[in-house]
Amino acid sequence: MIPHTLTAENYFSPENEMKYMGSSQFKSFQRCESSAYAELHGEYKREVTDALLIGSYIDAHFEGTLDIFKAQHPEIFMKNGDLKAQYHHADYMIQRAERDEFFKTYMSGEKQKIMVGEISGVPFKIKIDSYLENMCIVDLKCVKDFNLIWNDEKGGKQHFINYWGYDIQGAIYREIVRQNTGKQLPFYIAAITKEKPEPKLKVYWIPDEDLDAALNEVVSLAPRFNQIKEGKLQPQRCGDCPYCRFTEVLTEPVNYHEELEVYDVECE
Ligand SMILES: [Zn+2]
């Protein structure tokens, strides 16, 4: 094992976010370099959405730290002390997962296992939801449903695994585990949907060749993102995300025909 001083408490500290790249940080640089840079330097805070918090609630259950989570997040309760409806449903999703032996086996590994390593000379950190030594790496995900998702940029539908970059995450996890143990383990997503009345469960396997391709992407982009982090390269603005909208400064009028050309639409 490669030595490190990361713990559950300091894993996301500003110091360690600067010292290491993680899979969420990498994906946030892929979405918008300027926004990722601003967030890292404390100039911008992304909104913690209910969807994110429900995911963390369910993670905390499987980690055995739900009581601590509840104490740290008073916003999940109503004034009368009851859980808000969406967290009641999260409890139901947990019960559903707990009654499936197959799903539970995948979630029975060591929880929130932290490892560090290096990709393209850039220090990386990972935190595995369920690590089954010598067997597999499992990440738990809560999603809306298992339907394909429309990707505007790609102009087509994608599987949620590609849409949310879980192949990128899998590639980083598999590579860092390999550097620590000498073993290349399979990567699985243990997924629960938020559907009502009944959530759906599935354990997805991401084939190794998909992870190879995703790792190539990480290998080629990580050095650039790291140089941006260190202030050696100027981050690019995506022009479209909340951070870019928040910081945009108008300088000239725009001919509206330009926007139609992008979509190949005729002007009336
Ligand atoms: Zn942006």
Side-chain angles (χ1 to χ4, degrees):
M1 287 279 167
I2 302 167
H4 63 79
T5 54
L6 295 175
T7 63
E9 288 71 34
N10 70 18
Y11 188 84
F12 287 113
S13 73
E15 295 73 27
N16 286 324
E17 285 288 279
M18 279 309 287
K19 190 170 169 191
Y20 296 100
M21 186 155 287
S23 90
S24 344
Q25 193 185 108
F26 181 88
K27 286 190 281 176
S28 115
F29 268 103
Q30 271 189 313
R31 277 194 301 273
C32 176
E33 294 176 353
S34 287
S35 175
Y37 177 88
E39 208 179 326
L40 267 176
H41 290 80
E43 293 157 16
Y44 185 70
K45 240 183 141 60
R46 245 190 310 165
E47 203 191 345
V48 179
T49 59
D50 229 24
L52 274 177
L53 212 52
I54 289 170
S56 309
Y57 182 93
I58 294 177
D59 275 344
H61 163 80
F62 281 99
E63 196 192 344
T65 56
L66 193 52
D67 287 342
I68 301 171
F69 182 90
K70 284 178 175 171
Q72 286 171 342
H73 293 90
E75 68 270 32
I76 68 175
F77 294 97
M78 296 187 294
K79 282 206 180 94
N80 69 7
D82 273 354
L83 273 175
K84 287 182 181 167
Q86 57 271 44
Y87 297 95
H88 269 301
H89 187 61
D91 278 336
Y92 190 74
M93 289 160 67
I94 288 167
Q95 285 168 25
R96 180 63 191 89
E98 285 287 358
R99 116 180 126 72
D100 190 277
E101 287 306 321
F102 187 83
F103 192 96
K104 260 174 52 183
T105 307
Y106 281 79
M107 286 310 297
S108 67
E110 192 181 338
K111 302 300 182 312
Q112 306 303 327
K113 175 76 178 169
I114 296 172
M115 293 184 197
V116 303
E118 233 180 60
I119 300 174
S120 284
V122 177
F124 266 83
K125 59 179 166 128
I126 62 168
K127 190 158 70 150
I128 307 168
D129 284 342
S130 172
Y131 172 59
L132 291 106
E133 205 180 337
N134 296 326
M135 285 171 64
C136 64
I137 305 161
V138 184
D139 202 75
L140 178 68
K141 298 291 184 200
C142 299
V143 297
K144 190 169 143 270
D145 52 45
F146 294 145
N147 300 340
L148 299 182
I149 304 172
W150 177 261
N151 185 330
D152 220 11
E153 210 177 292
K154 309 244 181 231
K157 284 185 174 182
Q158 278 189 308
H159 196 281
F160 78 84
I161 287 189
N162 301 117
Y163 183 87
W164 296 113
Y166 296 152
D167 48 348
I168 294 279
Q169 181 184 1
I172 294 171
Y173 280 31
R174 187 190 63 166
E175 172 59 14
I176 299 302
V177 168
R178 191 195 61 76
Q179 291 178 14
N180 280 271
T181 65
K183 295 209 167 67
Q184 182 167 295
L185 301 181
F187 179 75
Y188 297 100
I189 298 274
I192 317 177
T193 71
K194 293 174 189 161
E195 286 164 294
K196 286 177 187 165
E198 290 301 332
K200 209 166 171 182
L201 301 176
K202 215 171 258 191
V203 175
Y204 286 99
W205 172 60
I206 306 186
D208 279 311
E209 52 268 34
D210 288 29
L211 299 185
D212 295 341
L215 186 61
N216 282 338
E217 216 175 309
V218 180
V219 165
S220 68
L221 288 171
R224 173 181 167 82
F225 296 163
N226 202 48
Q227 282 188 301
I228 293 172
K229 262 174 94 169
E230 290 172 350
K232 292 175 187 156
L233 273 181
Q234 191 70 24
Q236 295 276 319
R237 294 168 64 82
C238 75
D240 216 28
C241 72
Y243 171 78
C244 287
R245 297 202 296 265
F246 176 66
T247 52
E248 181 161 33
V249 180
L250 301 186
T251 53
E252 56 183 359
V254 172
N255 179 341
Y256 81 102
H257 288 201
E258 285 172 23
E259 297 191 345
L260 297 171
E261 278 162 19
V262 175
Y263 295 101
D264 230 5
V265 179
E266 299 262 321
C267 308
E268 295 277 308

